[in-house]
Amino acid sequence: MKCRICSGNVREFFDLGPQPVSDAFLLPPARADEFFYRLRVGVCESCMMVQQAEEIPRQKMFHADYPYRSSGSALIRQHFAAVARRFLETELSGPDAFIVEIGSNDGVMLKTISQAGIRHLGVDPSGGAAEVSAECGVRVQVDFFDETTAGTILARDGQADVIYSANTVSHISYLDSVFRGVDKLLADNGVFVIEDRYLGDILEQTAFDQIYDEHFYLFSVRSVRALAQLHGLELSGVEHLPVHGGTIRYTISRPGRRAISPEIARLCALEPVDFAVFEGFARRAADIRDALTTLLTGLREQGRRVVGYGATAKSATILNYCGIGPDLIPCICDSTPGKQGRLTPGSHIPVLAAESFAAPYPDYALLFAWNHAEEIMAKEQEFKRRGGRWIMYVPEVHIV
Ligand code: DWN
Ligand code: SAH
Ligand code: ZN
């Protein structure tokens, strides 16, 4: 297997078996022709980028019915409002400033920029989410960002002071085209700021559910530094954030334009280079699978009712890798309108409205949205008060 970034040799370390499109929630009844592919990941021996073996067509994942909405979490809304305010105070404080966001989804970040009257453009192929953002006053182009899109934006709007992208760049297999586009579009002193799940945290927490179709790459400081360098740009800053269970904000700029943060070298030195670390991760994931299925089977035998909480994209990996279906988890409660009334991909568990969680409360709730544990547990205190227990599987299977 060849690296999609640097053409180096990629060593596979984890085979998660047949997996569906993680956000393809099905209208019942389930159909026999559902799309599956074999999810395998490896690490490049040269640039250290963790990546999938097989690419699936981008239109299968991102389209008018893509259901995820960033604004579904209050903490995520706060996070992106703070990101926007910081840009407004710094990079966007000059005259006629312009920001482009790749993967703007429902406008959770650009809303604040738009309210400040600053020139902006969101680019996102998910038409339904884009519609929501347009209703919030966000200017959006329903498109996949790549070199061609960048050319169109440049000709129409000019260069950008900031190109921002959260939880999206890792979703794009064709990063060569994206970086050529960024190189065209970015002003000389501009910044390309990427926020994405951090490989270091994923390995440490054995959060193997962060591996699914959309997460084509798992970024580390080493691999993003190599990626920027390959495209004539420079990684100048990194910030480690708690969002989504562990995120890094990478600041990429033109060589020599910004001071290089010492945090880059510090984090790189902590990152794994030994293949055994990746093999150990895959072994621990298999242990989690065994412990979780044993626990759920035991609870079923005792006549306990266990429901799921949060029909995340991540849950597709857990459910399909562990072979968990409606016999063990009869339903998953979720606040996203576009997921409710549908079946989870591959595992065919009905998704119900968040309100049905209390009607009546189950004995146990399996928390698939573990990255939002604090927010959800604060909201669902009554469940605990009535004797309900949360089942967690990160960093290992445990009950709280
Ligand atoms: O990277 C990605 C991130 C940003 O979002 C995408 N590839 C797809 C998606 O991943 P995910 O589905 O794993 O994201 P979340 O944020 O863990 O999803 C949380 C789910 O839980 C949503 O479906 C909404 C739901 N939820 C809920 O029902 N009640 C969330 C909260 C906070 C709640 O209170
Ligand atoms: N930035 C938001 C949304 C992340 S979900 C957040 O952090 O919460 C990933 C988003 O990337 C989806 O809305 C999807 O439609 C979008 N996306 C996928 N490929 C893209 C591409 N090539 N260009 C722009 N957006 C893309
Ligand atoms: Zn490589």
Side-chain angles (χ1 to χ4, degrees):
M1 181 173 152
K2 250 180 137 188
C3 177
R4 194 69 175 76
I5 303 291
C6 78
S7 305
N9 184 48
V10 172
R11 254 178 104 177
E12 187 184 319
F13 62 86
F14 193 15
D15 182 346
L16 292 103
Q19 291 283 343
V21 172
S22 61
D23 264 311
F25 292 84
L26 315 167
L27 277 172
R31 290 165 31 168
D33 64 348
E34 192 176 358
F35 175 85
F36 284 91
Y37 79 113
R38 197 165 141 220
L39 176 55
R40 291 172 296 144
V41 284
V43 57
C44 174
E45 290 174 322
S46 306
C47 74
M48 299 306 290
M49 184 67 88
V50 172
Q51 57 201 278
Q52 295 188 25
E54 201 178 314
E55 285 177 44
I56 64 175
R58 59 189 188 177
Q59 295 86 350
K60 273 197 191 303
M61 297 181 277
F62 310 113
H63 43 70
D65 292 326
Y66 179 71
Y68 180 72
R69 297 292 180 270
S70 310
S71 299
S73 149
L75 286 176
I76 293 294
R77 289 198 297 275
Q78 283 167 25
H79 168 71
F80 286 115
V83 167
R85 284 197 300 270
R86 189 153 122 186
F87 282 140
L88 290 171
E89 287 160 12
T90 56
E91 308 292 336
L92 299 175
S93 60
D96 202 32
F98 179 46
I99 177 170
V100 172
E101 184 178 12
I102 304 173
S104 47
N105 197 267
D106 60 4
V108 66
M109 194 284 287
L110 284 179
K111 202 153 83 174
T112 306
I113 302 284
S114 165
Q115 282 160 2
I118 297 297
R119 251 181 357 115
H120 64 274
L121 179 71
V123 182
D124 200 303
S126 295
E131 230 168 80
V132 176
S133 68
E135 284 160 15
C136 302
V138 169
R139 179 172 168 246
V140 55
Q141 181 170 333
V142 180
D143 234 331
F144 288 94
F145 184 91
D146 55 16
E147 192 179 7
T148 311
T149 319
T152 314
I153 300 170
L154 180 68
R156 190 186 52 215
D157 300 305
Q159 286 191 314
D161 302 290
V162 178
I163 302 176
Y164 175 71
S165 189
N167 307 305
T168 300
V169 177
S170 65
H171 297 43
I172 306 179
S173 58
Y174 41 99
L175 284 183
D176 44 345
S177 173
V178 167
F179 269 78
R180 284 196 301 271
V182 166
D183 189 29
K184 268 188 190 166
L185 190 56
L186 194 67
D188 283 349
N189 197 33
V191 283
F192 178 28
V193 178
I194 299 173
E195 280 178 29
D196 235 297
R197 250 52 63 85
Y198 182 40
L199 175 70
D201 294 315
I202 292 172
L203 294 174
E204 197 182 304
Q205 302 162 352
T206 319
F208 68 98
D209 57 346
Q210 294 284 15
I211 305 169
Y212 55 90
D213 56 347
E214 294 174 27
H215 290 179
F216 188 81
Y217 299 106
L218 300 180
F219 287 167
S220 59
V221 180
R222 277 174 193 267
S223 62
V224 172
R225 184 173 62 176
L227 172 65
Q229 200 173 8
L230 263 168
H231 293 92
L233 296 169
E234 188 168 72
L235 177 66
S236 46
V238 287
E239 281 168 79
H240 197 177
L241 312 167
V243 195
H244 285 306
T247 289
I248 286 197
R249 177 184 293 143
Y250 304 90
T251 300
I252 293 168
S253 40
R254 297 202 185 273
R257 284 282 178 168
R258 308 270 168 149
I260 307 289
S261 159
E263 190 64 3
I264 296 174
R266 195 187 71 82
L267 284 174
C268 281
L270 298 172
E271 289 182 350
V273 282
D274 188 350
F275 191 69
V277 172
F278 296 96
E279 290 174 313
F281 168 82
R283 267 197 308 274
R284 293 196 306 277
D287 291 344
I288 289 178
R289 171 191 60 196
D290 297 344
L292 186 59
T293 48
T294 303
L295 174 67
L296 294 176
T297 313
L299 290 172
R300 182 182 55 188
E301 278 162 12
Q302 292 166 29
R304 302 306 182 117
R305 188 165 156 263
V306 186
V307 312
Y309 201 110
T312 56
K314 295 183 288 290
S315 73
T317 293
I318 293 289
L319 293 168
N320 290 283
Y321 177 68
C322 300
I324 297 169
D327 53 326
L328 289 174
I329 305 279
C331 65
I332 302 182
C333 305
D334 191 288
S335 59
T336 315
K339 296 180 183 178
Q340 295 163 0
R342 298 198 178 218
L343 304 173
T344 56
S347 51
H348 306 161
I349 300 173
V351 181
L352 306 180
E355 296 71 43
S356 62
F357 185 55
Y361 283 118
D363 300 304
Y364 292 85
L366 178 50
L367 188 57
F368 293 111
W370 54 265
N371 44 316
H372 302 293
E374 218 176 297
E375 178 175 345
I376 291 173
M377 287 181 185
K379 192 187 302 191
E380 302 290 1
Q381 288 179 33
E382 186 59 18
F383 166 60
K384 268 299 284 283
R385 213 171 293 134
R386 295 191 184 209
R389 312 283 296 273
W390 294 100
I391 300 173
M392 314 289 292
Y393 53 82
V394 173
E396 59 201 359
V397 176
H398 62 287
I399 296 176
V400 289

